[in-house]
Amino acid sequence: MNSSVHPAQVRNVKIDSPFWNRVVNLVRDSVLPYEWAALNDQVEGAEPSHCLANLRIAAGEAQGEYQGMVFQDSDLAKWLEAAAYSLSVHPDPELERIVDETIDLLGRAQQPDGYLNSYFTVKEPGKRWTNLQECHELYCAGHLMEAAVAYYQATGKRKLLDIMTRMARHIDSVMGPEPDKLHGIPGHEEIELALVKMYEATGERFMLDLASYFIDERGKQPSFFKQEYEKRKGDTYFGLNTRPESYAQNHLPVREQTALEGHSVRALYLATGMAEVAREKEDESLLAACRRLFDNLLQRRMYVTGGVGSTENGEAFTFDYDLPNDTAYAETCASIALCFFARSMLRLDLDGRYADAMERALYNTCLAGMSLDGKNFFYVNPLEVLPEASHKDPNKRHVLPVRPKWFGCACCPPNLARLIASLGSYAYSWAKGEAYVHLYLGGEARLGDGVALTVNTEYPRTGRIEITPSAGKYALNLRVPGFSQGNFELRLNGKSTAAPLNKGYLRLDRAWQAGDRVELLLDMTPRRVYANPSVRADAGKVCLMRGPLVYCLEQVDNGANLSALYLPTDSPVTETFRADKLQGITELKAMGKRAEQNGDEALYRYSAPRKTAVELTFIPYYAWANRGENEMCVWIKEG
Amino acid sequence: MNSSVHPAQVRNVKIDSPFWNRVVNLVRDSVLPYEWAALNDQVEGAEPSHCLANLRIAAGEAQGEYQGMVFQDSDLAKWLEAAAYSLSVHPDPELERIVDETIDLLGRAQQPDGYLNSYFTVKEPGKRWTNLQECHELYCAGHLMEAAVAYYQATGKRKLLDIMTRMARHIDSVMGPEPDKLHGIPGHEEIELALVKMYEATGERFMLDLASYFIDERGKQPSFFKQEYEKRKGDTYFGLNTRPESYAQNHLPVREQTALEGHSVRALYLATGMAEVAREKEDESLLAACRRLFDNLLQRRMYVTGGVGSTENGEAFTFDYDLPNDTAYAETCASIALCFFARSMLRLDLDGRYADAMERALYNTCLAGMSLDGKNFFYVNPLEVLPEASHKDPNKRHVLPVRPKWFGCACCPPNLARLIASLGSYAYSWAKGEAYVHLYLGGEARLGDGVALTVNTEYPRTGRIEITPSAGKYALNLRVPGFSQGNFELRLNGKSTAAPLNKGYLRLDRAWQAGDRVELLLDMTPRRVYANPSVRADAGKVCLMRGPLVYCLEQVDNGANLSALYLPTDSPVTETFRADKLQGITELKAMGKRAEQNGDEALYRYSAPRKTAVELTFIPYYAWANRGENEMCVWIKEG
C-alpha cells in the first residue's frame, strides 16, 4: 500500500480539449447558474427545491414551513462544492460573492452547539439523531464538509471549514465508541469520506477516528435501525424500516462483505470511505475488503456503460450478473460514486482496472446524466428504452425516455456538476518522484515537487496524446486504457520508444529536459464488445465501443423497433466525425439486418422472419435522448 | 351468425385417451378431494380457505368471524361446478351426498329476500351493493349460478338452480336500467356469462336481459366506481380506486373497445359474456366487438403458451406485442377464461383460429397450472424462470419457480378443476345436421339428433385420430389444427379421401353407415416457431412445438444458465416417447451450442464467447417444475 499518493488539486489543473471544453464550460456557464436558480425555486416548470428558503427559515430570517426532501441541504452543499471547484480555476467575483453570502447564511443557520441541518432546526427540533436510518443528518453534514474543503482549497477562505469543524465536533460529542455516546451509523453513507477530506484539510485527528468509527460500526449491530425505529414507536419518514439490512450495507461488518449490496449510491460512498480510511490508517484488512468489493463490481455487477444498480426497487444492486437493460436503474449518482471509489483505490494501487472503470462510468453514464444543453438530467440511465413501455408498463415507469428538468429529489444534477468541475483531481495524481496521468482531458497540471505536465489531445475523438513534461528527474506514469493494451505506440521526442507496462501504466523514469515531448498513440478502432455469457440480458448480443465511449442505436437514426436489428459478426464498422451532429460526435455505421414482418399479422409462425439489409447508425451513449422521445438500445443482436 | 350451435353436454361425453385419462382421473381422484379438504381447512401446510366455515356462520349454524378473501364463496362455487361435471360422467354417491349437503347449507345461508353471499351476510350486513368495484357479490353469484346449472344438468336436481334463480331475481330487483334501480356493474365480470347459462337452463328471459344490461352498461359511466367510492367516503377493500378505468374494462362502452385491456381474467370473462349475449340476442355489433377483441388477442397479446396478461401489476394486459417472458403474469385463470371465450366464439363462427387458441391455452398454460401429482398449483405461468431472480429481484417475486400448495386467493385450482371436468363441452358441438369435433380427447360423445361419435386416439402423443360416427345423414366437421394445415391425411374406411377444408374444418357430409371409419392423420413433426419481430422479448429466438404442445428447456436436463444456449437453424430435432419420464412425455432433443466463459472472469471482452456443442433436451411446457426448483425457458436463441 502506497499511502503517499495525492490526487492533483483542482485549482492546479486546467482542462483543455475539444471534448471536455464543451462539458466543462457547460457546467460552469449553464449548469451552475441553472442549479443556483433551481435551488432558489426560480426555474419555471421544474419542481421547486425550497433549499435556500429552508435555510433562511433555519437562520431565523424568514417565516414558513420546511419543504422538500429531508436531505435538501445536501443539494446546496453539492452546488457549493461545484462552485468552489469552478472558482478554483475560473475566478468569478460574482459567483464568489454568492458563495460567500451563502456560507454566511449557513453560519447563521448553525445552532450554538455547532449543529447544522435545516430540516431538524425548522421542522423537528426535538428529534435530532433519532432517525439516522432515514433522515440524512450525517449525509447532509458530509456534503457540507466536502464543500467546505473544496472552498478552502479554492480560495483559502476558512469560514465554511470552521463551521463544519464545529459541526464535526458536535457529531463527535454525540456519536462514537465511548459507552456514553450514541452507537449509531448514518443510514446513507457520505460522512465517512467527507471526514477524511476534512482531516486532510485540517489535520484534526478526531475526524479520521470518527470516520473510522462509522465504518467499523456498520454491520456490527445489524438491528440498529430497527431498534431506532422501535424507539420512535414506528414513526417513519420513508418507510425504510421495511428494507432489508443490506439496503444500507448494515448486514455484515464491512470487512466481511464480499459484494456491494443494497442501495448503490450508499454502497459506493461507503466503499470510498473505506478506501480513504484504509489509506490513512494503513489498514490492510480494510483495503482487502475494498479490493474484493471492487473486483466483484467489475466482474459481476457493472453495466458496460459503467452504470451500477440493477433495480429501481431500493435503487439497488441485485445479484451477480443480473444486468437487465430495459429495467436498469443505473443512477447517475451511483456512477459518480464509482468514480469516487476508483479515485480512492488509485491512491492505494496503481492499477489501470480502477482507472478503466472510472473512465467507463465517466464517459458514458455520468455524461449521459445531462442533456447536451445542460438543462435536463437523467437520474436513471437505462441501456434499452421503448417509450411505450415506459408509459404503460409499471415496471418501467422509472425508465424515462427523455430527461426531465429538475427532480424534487435532485441529487444527481449537482453531483454531476461537482464531478465535472473537479475532474482534474481524477485525471492526475502524484507521489514523491512520480507523476501519474489517469485520464486524458488535455490541458495543464501542476503536481507536487514542481512537476508540471502539458497535455495536448483531442481524446476521445482521436487517440493521440502529446505530453510535455516539465524538466526534472521523475517518473511519468501514463495509463494505457484497457481497450488499447496490446496496440499502442509510445514516442519520445518523435521516436518510438519502449517503457515497462505494469497494470496498465507505462512508466518513463527519466531526467526530463525542457522541450521533451512524449506521444502516446492509442488504438481508437471501433470494437465489438461482448458480455460474459452469465449476463442473461446480453446473451447473443454485442455492443460497439470506440475508445472509452459506448455506442447505442437510436430510433431517430434507425427506425422503430430496434429489437429487430442485427449486427453481423463480419460487418465492417466505419467511423466519421460529425461536427454538425449532437455537438460533435464520431458516428459509427455498419451494414446490418432488420427482421421483417412476413406478410400477415400472425403473432407466431413456422418460418423465421425474413431479414433485409439496413445501414445501422450508432451514436455515443452519452449523447442519446437529445432528439426527442425515441427508442434506444446499447446491445444489439449479433447474427 | 349461426345461433343454433350447442356445445356437447358434459354428461354426454366420455373422455378416453392415454394423455387425457391421466389428467381427468387426477382431477377426479386427487384434485377434487384435495380441494374439498382445502375448502374445509384440512390441508396441512396450505393457507386455510375458511370457505365452508364462513358459510356455516352465514347460515347461523356456527359462531365466529368471516375470514379469507371477500370472494371466498366463489372457490366453493367452482368446486361445486367441477364436482357436478365429475358426477355427470362418473357417479359417486358419496360425492353427490357431500354436494347435496353443501347445497342445503347454501340454501340455509340464503337470506329471505334471496340474497346469498357469506361475506356481506356475516361481516358487513348493511353494506350490500355499496362496493361493486371490489367486493365481488355479483362475481360470487355468477359462479354459484354456473355451479347450479352444472349440477342441474348432471343430476336433474333443481335445488341450487332454484336458489340461484331467487338470487338472480333479487339482483334484478336491485340493478338494471330502470330509473329506480342501481345503475351498477360488477367490478369483476362473471355474472354476464353465468346469467346466459341460467337463461339457457331455465328459459327465464329476465336473466338474459340482465346479462345484456350489465354488458351494455359497462363503459357507459366510466366514473361509476369512483362515484361509488366517494359515496363510501373513501372506504376501500383492495385499494382498487387507484386503478385506471381500463382495469375493469370500464373505460369505453364495450362495443367501442378494440383490445382486451386491464385485468386479464375480468377482460376475458366479459368477452365471453359478450359473445354469449351476442349469440342469444343475434346482436351483430356486439359480435363484431368480440371478433375485434379476439383478433387483437391472437395477433398481439397472447404468449405462445396461450398465456395472457403481461404484467403482475393489476394482473393485466399491457400493450401490443409486449410479451416479456421472465416477468409474465399469464395467470392460469386467464388461460382458462380464454378457453371460455373461444368456446363461445366457436358457437358463433366455425373458425379454427378460435379452436387453435383454445387448444394452445389448454395444453400449455392451463395444464402447467397444476403439478403432475395434482397437489400444487401455479397462479403465474412464466416462460422463463431463473430461481435466483425470483428470490432476489422484486420485479420477479411473483414468478414462482415451484408450485405452492394452495393460495389464500385460490381462484386458479378450482377453476382448473372445473375446466378439466367439463372438457367434453369444449371438444364437441353440434347443430341440426352437423357434428363438430374441436379437440381430440378420445372417447365417446353423444350429440343431438342421435348422432354419436367414437374417437380413438393417443393425440397428442401421435397424430392419428380414428372416428367412428353413428349411422345417419349428417355432416362431420373435423378440425385440422393450424400446425397441420397443409400436411394431413384424411381416410375413409382405410382409403385416402378428400373433403372441403374451410377455416380449419374438414366437412364430410354423408349418409353414414354403421361401421364407417374416418381417420385423420395429423403432422406431429416437431416444428420451430418464431414470434412476430415486433415481439421484443422473442426477437432472435425460436421455440419448439410438437402438435399443440409448446416445449421448454429445464436446468435439470440442460445445466444452469439456459440463456447461454443456442439452437442452430439447421439442427435436426428428434423425438422419443419416454413413458418413464414426467408421467409419459414425448421428449425432443437437438444438438445445440452453449456459449462458454472464455478463461478469466472479465465481465466485458472484445471476443465473442466460444460456443461448444451440447445436446439440448426439451420437455413439454405443461410438465415443467415437477423436478424441484430450477431454471426454465421456452424461447431459445437461434444461431
Side-chain angles (χ1 to χ4, degrees), chain B residues 217-393:
Chain B
E217 181 65 18
R218 186 165 297 272
K220 267 200 193 151
Q221 309 178 66
S223 63
F224 171 73
F225 295 132
K226 192 162 174 258
Q227 292 163 22
E228 203 194 36
Y229 171 74
E230 282 162 7
K231 267 190 216 151
R232 290 195 312 274
K233 303 196 194 325
D235 191 28
T236 174
Y237 191 90
F238 291 118
L240 291 191
N241 53 294
T242 62
R243 295 276 176 201
E245 284 143 2
S246 59
Y247 173 76
Q249 301 74 49
N250 200 28
H251 53 300
L252 277 177
V254 298
R255 282 175 177 74
E256 296 172 28
Q257 297 187 20
T258 54
L260 293 165
E261 300 287 358
H263 187 274
S264 55
V265 175
R266 288 169 209 238
L268 281 157
Y269 282 14
L270 169 64
T272 306
M274 286 164 64
E276 289 294 312
V277 168
R279 180 178 46 72
E280 289 291 349
K281 295 214 157 180
E282 302 194 350
D283 182 334
E284 287 290 350
S285 75
L286 197 55
L287 173 58
C290 291
R291 287 194 181 115
R292 276 196 304 273
L293 294 177
F294 215 117
D295 281 352
N296 178 266
L297 184 74
L298 286 192
Q299 291 170 0
R300 303 184 175 196
R301 297 190 176 205
M302 182 182 69
Y303 286 95
V304 71
T305 53
V308 288
S310 298
T311 180
E312 185 264 347
N313 195 301
E315 311 182 306
F317 291 101
T318 52
F319 55 96
D320 287 350
Y321 302 117
D322 183 44
L323 295 162
N325 295 303
D326 58 348
T327 55
Y329 200 66
E331 186 181 337
T332 307
C333 283
S335 288
I336 294 168
L338 173 52
C339 293
F340 301 164
F341 187 25
R343 180 177 61 172
S344 293
M345 292 305 288
L346 280 170
R347 290 181 77 175
L348 290 157
D349 289 336
L350 189 71
D351 187 332
R353 295 193 316 139
Y354 301 131
D356 282 351
M358 178 167 80
E359 190 175 52
R360 189 187 285 278
L362 174 64
Y363 278 85
N364 299 292
T365 300
C366 296
L367 283 185
M370 186 166 74
S371 60
L372 291 175
D373 64 5
K375 296 212 167 122
N376 300 275
F377 301 89
F378 274 139
Y379 203 99
V380 167
N381 295 282
L383 283 81
E384 181 179 329
V385 171
L386 175 70
E388 187 174 21
S390 298
H391 299 314
K392 296 182 181 172
D393 178 350

Side-chain angles (χ1 to χ4, degrees), chain A residues 298 300 302-304 313 319 388 394 483 530-533 536 540 561 566 597 601 603-607 631, chain B residues 298 300 302-304 319 388 394 483 530-533 536 540 561 566 597 601 603-607 631:
Chain A
L298 285 192
R300 301 182 177 199
M302 181 181 69
Y303 287 95
V304 71
N313 194 302
F319 55 95
E388 187 174 21
F483 63 81
Y530 301 85
N532 185 307
R536 304 169 73 83
N561 194 10
Y566 292 77
Q597 173 86 19
E601 291 220 64
L603 191 50
Y604 304 106
R605 58 179 62 243
Y606 300 113
S607 59
E631 280 185 61
Chain B
L298 286 192
R300 303 184 175 196
M302 182 182 69
Y303 286 95
V304 71
F319 55 96
E388 187 174 21
F483 63 81
Y530 301 85
N532 184 307
R536 305 169 72 84
N561 194 11
Y566 291 77
Q597 174 85 20
E601 290 220 63
L603 191 49
Y604 303 106
R605 58 178 63 243
Y606 299 113
S607 59
E631 280 185 61

Side-chain angles (χ1 to χ4, degrees), chain A residues 297-305 311-313 318-324 327 360 384-386 388-390 392-398 482-484 527-541 545 547 561-564 566 595-598 600-609 631-633 635 637-638, chain B residues 297-305 311-313 318-324 327 360 384-386 388-390 392-398 482-484 527-541 545 547 561-564 566 595-598 600-609 631-633 635 637-638:
Chain A
L297 183 74
L298 285 192
Q299 292 169 1
R300 301 182 177 199
R301 298 190 175 205
M302 181 181 69
Y303 287 95
V304 71
T305 52
T311 179
E312 185 264 347
N313 194 302
T318 52
F319 55 95
D320 287 350
Y321 301 117
D322 183 44
L323 295 162
T327 56
R360 189 188 285 278
E384 181 178 329
V385 171
L386 174 69
E388 187 174 21
S390 299
K392 296 182 181 172
D393 178 351
N395 284 342
K396 294 177 185 153
R397 223 169 256 158
H398 64 287
F483 63 81
S484 191
R527 298 182 75 169
R528 284 170 164 77
V529 174
Y530 301 85
N532 185 307
S534 296
V535 181
R536 304 169 73 83
D538 302 335
K541 294 182 176 177
M545 289 186 73
N561 194 10
L562 301 178
S563 72
Y566 292 77
E596 302 281 359
Q597 173 86 19
N598 297 0
D600 66 35
E601 291 220 64
L603 191 50
Y604 304 106
R605 58 179 62 243
Y606 300 113
S607 59
E631 280 185 61
M632 181 277 291
C633 72
W635 293 95
K637 277 178 276 295
E638 193 172 51
Chain B
L297 184 74
L298 286 192
Q299 291 170 0
R300 303 184 175 196
R301 297 190 176 205
M302 182 182 69
Y303 286 95
V304 71
T305 53
T311 180
E312 185 264 347
N313 195 301
T318 52
F319 55 96
D320 287 350
Y321 302 117
D322 183 44
L323 295 162
T327 55
R360 189 187 285 278
E384 181 179 329
V385 171
L386 175 70
E388 187 174 21
S390 298
K392 296 182 181 172
D393 178 350
N395 284 342
K396 294 177 185 153
R397 223 170 257 158
H398 64 287
F483 63 81
S484 191
R527 297 182 75 169
R528 285 170 162 78
V529 174
Y530 301 85
N532 184 307
S534 296
V535 182
R536 305 169 72 84
D538 303 334
K541 295 183 176 176
M545 290 186 73
N561 194 11
L562 301 178
S563 71
Y566 291 77
E596 302 279 1
Q597 174 85 20
N598 298 1
D600 67 36
E601 290 220 63
L603 191 49
Y604 303 106
R605 58 178 63 243
Y606 299 113
S607 59
E631 280 185 61
M632 180 276 291
C633 71
W635 294 96
K637 276 178 277 297
E638 193 172 51

Side-chain angles (χ1 to χ4, degrees), chain A residues 451-522:
Chain A
V451 172
L453 306 174
T454 302
V455 181
N456 206 322
T457 187
E458 296 190 7
Y459 182 87
R461 290 188 188 166
T462 75
R464 188 177 171 282
I465 297 134
E466 184 188 273
I467 298 177
T468 311
S470 60
K473 169 88 179 79
Y474 59 92
L476 179 60
N477 296 273
L478 298 181
R479 170 172 162 260
V480 179
F483 63 81
S484 191
Q485 283 172 33
N487 190 23
F488 64 91
E489 191 185 344
L490 182 67
R491 292 183 191 155
L492 181 60
N493 298 325
K495 286 187 190 155
S496 275
T497 187
L501 179 67
N502 190 21
K503 290 189 183 175
Y505 284 82
L506 289 166
R507 188 160 188 273
L508 291 91
D509 190 4
R510 289 170 53 91
W512 298 97
Q513 310 292 322
D516 274 352
R517 188 164 53 91
V518 176
E519 283 164 282
L520 178 61
L521 302 169
L522 300 176

Side-chain angles (χ1 to χ4, degrees), chain A residues 22-34:
Chain A
R22 183 190 71 78
V23 180
V24 169
N25 294 344
L26 191 65
V27 165
R28 188 184 61 221
D29 300 335
S30 296
V31 179
L32 285 179
Y34 176 84

